[in-house]
Amino acid sequence: MGVFELTVPPGSQVPPPHSHTRNEECVYVLDGILRYSVNGVVRDLQPGEWMHTPPGSVHHFSNPHIGTARALIILTPDVGAQYFRDVGAIINAGGPPDREKLIGVMSRYGLVPAPPR
């Protein structure tokens, strides 16, 4: 099991919709409002609210709201800290994230990007 805190600035739209081949995920909001979608069910989660993502479910989060959102993410089994370092390197490279590089990292860790809508 892996647990980490996620900070999502206003206007964030990362990561792209995806599923996990080997992991289930829960998101529990600590501060702000986090928009979370699982298999097309979209909720604006407030502090104390959570949502579960079974393996194979397409999910996505964003923050279209004014304030920063913070959440705890629980993954079982854990994907490992290196995944987040690899994603962070792409996101923090400057400018919009390179979608192809992001998808490449996701694929190496068993995350499957959802087909574009």
Side-chain angles (χ1 to χ4, degrees):
M1 175 187 298
V3 178
F4 65 93
E5 184 177 314
L6 176 71
T7 300
V8 186
S12 295
Q13 293 286 333
V14 175
H18 64 280
S19 62
H20 298 258
T21 56
R22 302 179 294 265
N23 317 86
E24 65 181 304
E25 182 175 323
C26 286
V27 59
Y28 178 87
V29 175
L30 300 169
D31 291 310
I33 302 171
L34 183 69
R35 182 162 292 164
Y36 200 77
S37 169
V38 177
N39 290 334
V41 175
V42 179
R43 290 178 54 203
D44 282 340
L45 301 173
Q46 304 210 18
E49 295 182 329
W50 67 281
M51 209 162 171
H52 175 250
T53 306
S57 299
V58 173
H59 60 288
H60 175 268
F61 64 84
S62 64
N63 183 0
H65 308 289
I66 295 169
T68 297
R70 284 188 322 115
L72 286 180
I73 307 297
I74 300 109
L75 288 164
T76 182
D78 189 13
V79 295
Q82 189 60 47
Y83 167 75
F84 298 100
R85 288 185 198 109
D86 293 349
V87 167
I90 294 167
I91 292 172
N92 296 321
D98 183 319
R99 182 174 167 80
E100 291 307 312
K101 286 183 181 178
L102 191 57
I103 289 171
V105 168
M106 292 170 68
S107 297
R108 286 197 307 272
Y109 290 90
L111 284 73
V112 180
R117 292 179 142 206

